Amino acid sequence: MNHTKVLTFILAAALILAVGGTILIVVLPQPSEPFTELYLLGPGGKASGYPTNLTVGQTGNVTVGVVNHENANVDYRLVATLANKTIATKTFSLANSQKWEDSISFTPTTRGVGQKMQVDLYKGSDTNVYRSVYLVLTVN
């Protein structure tokens, strides 16, 4: 009879600890790994229909977006290049969970397949690229 009471007590304590642990996990989730989203959108704000087939002198437009998930306020610098030449530079600050979007226009001046329109994102004063996205263009 004494062993039954001890076993019952141990099982009850284990159950209470399991329920308490589950409640803590639900109520106090672990913060996720900090990161920043960087994306390009084509016409109509869709992730499709990008202007990748252009003629010399034809202007392409994309929307570039950044979302801060760094759990802090962050200063960003964005540099867009076409065929390794800077076509746009933008600086801005975002609070945690804040989103920024802006349009970038580019006009290729030479024919060729495999030209890159690239957008590099820098975080704070770091000189290393933090995030990067690009389009590969065919220019006739």
Side-chain angles (χ1 to χ4, degrees), residues 4-129:
T4 304
K5 287 183 181 180
V6 171
L7 186 57
T8 302
F9 176 76
I10 291 172
L11 289 174
L15 183 61
I16 290 170
L17 286 174
V19 170
T22 302
I23 291 171
L24 283 176
I25 289 171
V26 170
V27 173
L28 303 171
Q30 293 290 346
S32 62
E33 184 74 25
F35 68 99
T36 296
E37 291 178 53
L38 172 64
Y39 57 88
L40 293 177
L41 300 175
K46 304 285 184 192
S48 63
Y50 298 107
T52 55
N53 292 304
L54 301 171
T55 57
V56 171
Q58 182 182 6
T59 299
N61 295 297
V62 293
T63 298
V64 62
V66 177
V67 184
N68 176 0
H69 298 285
E70 300 285 346
N71 300 322
N73 293 338
V74 178
D75 295 325
Y76 294 102
R77 183 171 53 94
L78 186 134
V79 178
T81 57
L82 175 60
N84 295 319
K85 294 178 185 162
T86 301
I87 56 173
T89 301
K90 310 205 181 232
T91 56
F92 53 95
S93 297
L94 294 177
N96 189 50
S97 298
Q98 190 174 12
K99 176 172 77 171
W100 174 90
E101 287 185 348
D102 200 4
S103 179
I104 292 180
S105 297
F106 54 96
T107 307
T109 57
T110 58
R111 293 175 189 232
V113 175
Q115 294 185 40
K116 254 190 191 180
M117 193 292 292
Q118 183 164 325
V119 178
D120 294 327
L121 184 67
Y122 299 84
K123 183 176 147 187
S125 60
D126 195 346
T127 57
N128 296 314
V129 174

